[in-house]
Amino acid sequence: MSVVIRLRRMGAHKKPFYRLVAADSRMPRNGRFLEELGTYDPLKEPSAVQVNGDRIKTWLNQGAEMSDTVRRLLKRSGLLTGQSPAA
């Protein structure tokens, strides 16, 4: 099973709100997930990102990969400073 840390879209029409989740890569975007790791609200000024850094690091150590968007959000929040993307 390949685990991916990605965004899960929530919220109403034209009012998106996202949750960062660890999910099986075969599941759909808003489908079943393994664990909720944080939230992202792009409508707030500035954008609000709240993450559980310990759990994200745990998943990454177990071999989980991040989507490009999640990687960009975590770098902006300061959680991934100086790390190269996992290959």
Side-chain angles (χ1 to χ4, degrees), residues 69-81:
T69 306
V70 169
R71 183 176 287 115
R72 191 169 46 238
L73 287 173
L74 294 179
K75 281 184 181 178
R76 193 181 324 160
S77 69
L79 189 63
L80 289 181
T81 56

Side-chain angles (χ1 to χ4, degrees), residues 13-68:
H13 179 70
K14 294 201 176 199
K15 295 182 182 177
F17 179 82
Y18 298 93
R19 290 186 179 162
L20 276 73
V21 295
D24 184 348
S25 63
R26 298 171 292 188
M27 291 294 134
R29 178 191 71 185
N30 291 337
R32 191 171 49 188
F33 61 93
L34 302 169
E35 183 179 2
E36 183 179 328
L37 303 172
T39 60
Y40 167 57
D41 189 356
L43 297 180
K44 289 189 177 179
E45 194 57 45
S47 300
V49 179
Q50 296 178 341
V51 294
N52 185 343
D54 294 335
R55 292 304 300 159
I56 288 178
K57 289 178 183 177
T58 301
W59 279 106
L60 292 175
N61 288 337
Q62 292 178 5
E65 297 181 9
M66 291 183 283
S67 69
D68 294 336

